Amino acid sequence: MSVVEESPLNSAAPADGHLRDRAAELAALHERLRRGPGERATEAQHAKGKLTVRERLALLFDEGTFTEIEELRRHRATGFGLEQRRPHTDGVVTGWGEVDGRTVFAYAHDFRIFGGALGEAHAEKIHKLLDLAESAGRPVVGLCDGAGARIQEGVTALAGYGGIFARNVRNSGVIPQISVILGPCAGGAAYSPALTDFVFMVRGTSQMFITGPDVVQAVTGEVITHDALGGADAHASVSGVAHAAYDDEESCLADVRHLLSLLPSNNRELPPAAPGADPASRRTEALLDLVPADPGRAYDMRAVITEIVDDGEVFEIQESWATNIVCVIARLDGQAVGIVANQPAAFAGVLDIHASEKAARFVQTCDAFNLPLVTLVDVPGFLPGVDQEHGGIIRHGAKLLYAYCNATVPRVQLILRKAYGGAYIVMDSRSIGADVSLAWPGNEIAVMGAEGAAGVVFRREIAAADDPEATRARLVKEYRAELMHPYYAAERGLVDSVIDPAETRSRLIGALTMLRAKHAPLPTRKHGNQPQ
């Protein structure tokens, strides 16, 4: 006797059956699909602190707007008992809906069915969804809660992942792609999120890794938990894989909605505007007290950013990783912008390997999706050290340089205090293409700090002096007065204007408004060859 799962549509209807009967059967089937594979499976999902697939979709989309496709899809694999288990959806729900009235596509793994593992039919549903999103020019959100490739289907499951990866790459920089990790994401399954624009994770329930703790222990002898190896905090603060980590799925999906409100639907559109009550002319007097005049004193750059942007609201990217640089999306006069800023409160705001990578990726993402770039500069240079040099600070720092040089969106630089050496150039200076460069009256732009510079330029004179320390102090003062006064760069056209900090918001908005229709075509080429 066959134990293949039956549905109302599997049974033959009477020849004289009414279409209303068929419609009733269909409604009953859809209701069963909405309930899922059974109460026990749902209870097990909730016991793990996780929502079901349809509960998640209800949080992501505006109420009543989600349209599901291929909900009746079933796998056709045989062997290992699969022919006796053919649930509808095949473990993934696909479709589209509205987020704040704008169309967004989504696929969501259902861990209650095959542990969310990917097989041929499962993969083909995602392929179709990604193809539809590409054709429609609309964002895609992947709600990932799956155990990787379906082992019983062998190489066809692996090929299914390949099709997803190829589409992720083809749509890169074309439509926003967001991955939300809400459960296990192991092996090949981890590569699709890594290819997307943003990765969100939830503490305690989501993990990403190529090889799990058991394999790590077997191969290396290291003992580690799932969370410590690939949990939300590990990827948000150590590896940099996750762009944000949350305590629960509700707050995570709320922030996914917020991020979507700041992004265009595709690379041919501008981000949606959201005019508010914060006037463009508002003076930022608080900045005069927030930022110390002494270039050696620390302060929190986040406080500067919140004072400048509309209503103090920011969406920070990778907040816990590479904390010496801050990357946020915010609004200025209702227009979404990307802000890159050195963070003097962390490692004095130096650029190192991780900070360079973080900022480069952010600049590239903003450029892809038409978000103007504002760069707030207060940088003492690149971090020196054997570890940094051997770790490739040259090529990693070059990634940030490449990203800025390649960006065609409006670009405004603001120098708050110090900007030394190559780090000044890399932080979107006029020499690499910033459209407008502004500076505060306490700025210091130079090859290095006055003390270090005097020690190099006047080394012999200082060594030969009767009082080396007094001579050093005099020469440092002379060097600063000659080459590091706040108007030196402005006199040479490398800074367009030295501004009152209280006018920062209005001047940034004015520059971006002027640049809104900027058009800067790149040379014809297949693609650039950015630093590795």
Side-chain angles (χ1 to χ4, degrees):
M1 179 179 176
S2 173
V3 293
V4 174
E5 294 187 19
E6 294 291 336
S7 76
L9 297 186
N10 293 128
S11 56
D16 60 349
H18 198 283
L19 188 57
R20 290 183 182 276
D21 297 329
R22 287 296 195 182
E25 290 173 351
L26 179 62
L29 176 56
H30 281 162
E31 178 58 30
R32 196 176 81 178
L33 292 177
R34 280 191 288 271
R35 291 198 305 267
E39 288 300 321
R40 182 178 298 178
T42 298
E43 289 171 2
Q45 182 81 348
H46 287 160
K48 296 173 185 174
K50 302 195 296 183
L51 300 176
T52 65
V53 61
R54 297 185 189 280
E55 289 170 339
R56 290 164 175 168
L57 290 167
L59 289 172
L60 175 63
F61 290 109
D62 299 346
E63 185 176 356
T65 64
F66 182 65
T67 299
E68 186 174 354
I69 57 172
E70 293 208 4
E71 63 269 32
L72 301 180
R73 187 70 180 266
R74 293 165 131 181
H75 74 74
R76 54 188 176 185
T78 58
F80 306 102
L82 283 179
E83 67 274 8
Q84 298 179 334
R85 298 181 60 205
R86 300 182 62 235
H88 291 110
T89 74
D90 201 46
V92 64
V93 177
T94 57
W96 64 86
E98 294 182 359
V99 175
D100 295 327
R102 300 165 65 218
T103 300
V104 174
F105 287 75
Y107 64 89
H109 300 140
D110 191 344
F111 192 81
R112 300 169 300 171
I113 298 175
F114 297 124
L118 180 140
E120 180 186 30
H122 183 123
E124 287 177 351
K125 288 181 65 174
I126 298 176
H127 296 170
K128 178 181 285 187
L129 190 282
L130 294 176
D131 289 342
L132 281 171
E134 179 183 358
S135 297
R138 295 293 181 263
V140 172
V141 177
L143 304 182
C144 304
D145 185 7
R150 196 173 298 170
I151 298 172
Q152 300 95 320
E153 295 197 31
V155 70
T156 56
L158 296 179
Y161 271 126
I164 295 172
F165 302 158
R167 288 166 172 81
N168 288 147
V169 173
R170 190 171 70 229
N171 289 326
S172 180
V174 179
I175 55 175
Q177 300 180 77
I178 300 173
S179 296
V180 188
I181 314 302
L182 300 170
C185 189
Y191 281 117
S192 177
L195 291 169
T196 60
D197 301 303
F198 300 95
V199 177
F200 292 70
M201 296 184 73
V202 175
R203 296 182 180 93
T205 57
S206 60
Q207 300 96 32
M208 291 177 70
F209 33 67
I210 301 301
T211 54
D214 293 341
V215 176
V216 170
Q217 184 176 358
V219 174
T220 70
E222 297 171 285
V223 179
I224 192 168
T225 66
H226 285 79
D227 260 356
L229 179 64
D233 286 324
H235 284 310
S237 61
V238 180
S239 73
V241 170
H243 293 81
Y246 300 86
D247 291 329
D248 55 71
E249 295 187 17
E250 291 84 354
S251 58
C252 176
L253 292 170
D255 255 13
V256 172
R257 288 176 57 90
H258 182 197
L259 176 59
L260 286 166
S261 75
L262 295 166
L263 298 174
S265 292
N266 57 65
N267 64 344
R268 301 182 303 278
E269 298 180 4
L270 294 175
D278 198 347
S281 59
R282 172 172 59 81
R283 288 178 62 81
T284 49
E285 299 282 353
L287 296 180
L288 294 164
D289 299 315
L290 281 174
V291 180
D294 180 356
R297 286 183 58 194
Y299 63 93
D300 189 352
M301 182 64 81
R302 291 188 181 92
V304 173
I305 296 171
T306 55
E307 174 64 19
I308 293 171
V309 303
D310 291 0
D311 304 310
E313 294 182 359
V314 300
F315 188 96
E316 186 165 357
I317 305 298
Q318 295 176 305
E319 178 181 356
S320 301
W321 184 64
T323 55
N324 41 326
I325 202 154
V326 177
C327 298
V328 308
I329 303 176
R331 292 189 183 278
L332 283 170
D333 197 27
Q335 305 295 325
V337 299
I339 300 175
V340 180
N342 305 112
Q343 174 56 294
F347 308 107
V350 296
L351 287 176
D352 60 5
I353 289 172
H354 287 163
S356 298
E357 286 190 327
K358 172 180 171 178
R361 169 72 174 189
F362 182 73
V363 167
Q364 188 171 280
T365 301
C366 290
D367 186 50
F369 295 115
N370 304 318
L371 275 78
L373 286 161
V374 173
T375 304
L376 306 181
V377 185
D378 191 347
V379 62
F382 282 94
L383 180 64
V386 175
D387 288 346
Q388 288 290 307
E389 294 295 345
H390 287 182
I393 184 63
I394 295 173
R395 58 188 173 87
H396 290 292
K399 290 178 183 178
L400 179 54
L401 180 60
Y402 187 99
Y404 269 125
C405 290
N406 203 47
T408 60
V409 293
R411 292 155 53 187
V412 180
Q413 179 198 49
L414 172 64
I415 301 164
L416 280 67
R417 295 194 308 185
K418 57 191 176 296
Y420 296 157
Y424 154 68
I425 302 172
V426 169
M427 290 297 292
D428 204 21
S429 64
R430 282 300 302 268
S431 60
I432 65 169
D435 298 295
V436 175
S437 178
L438 306 173
W440 284 1
N443 78 83
E444 291 185 354
I445 306 173
V447 175
M448 62 179 68
E451 289 77 8
V456 173
V457 175
F458 306 114
R459 183 180 68 253
R460 293 179 180 175
E461 185 176 343
I462 292 171
D466 294 334
D467 187 346
E469 288 306 314
T471 301
R472 175 188 292 275
R474 176 178 58 80
L475 292 173
V476 165
K477 185 177 181 180
E478 290 177 4
Y479 182 89
R480 179 176 280 116
E482 182 67 24
L483 296 177
M484 294 183 65
H485 62 79
Y487 307 108
Y488 184 85
E491 290 171 358
R492 284 151 182 80
L494 297 174
V495 166
D496 293 300
S497 187
V498 179
I499 66 170
D500 181 344
E503 298 176 353
T504 298
R505 173 176 163 83
S506 61
R507 292 298 296 267
L508 290 176
I509 289 172
L512 292 171
T513 300
M514 176 271 293
L515 291 165
R516 192 164 296 160
K518 176 184 174 182
H519 178 64
L522 292 171
T524 301
R525 58 183 174 183
K526 186 175 182 181
H527 57 73
N529 190 18
Q530 68 180 42
Q532 62 180 357

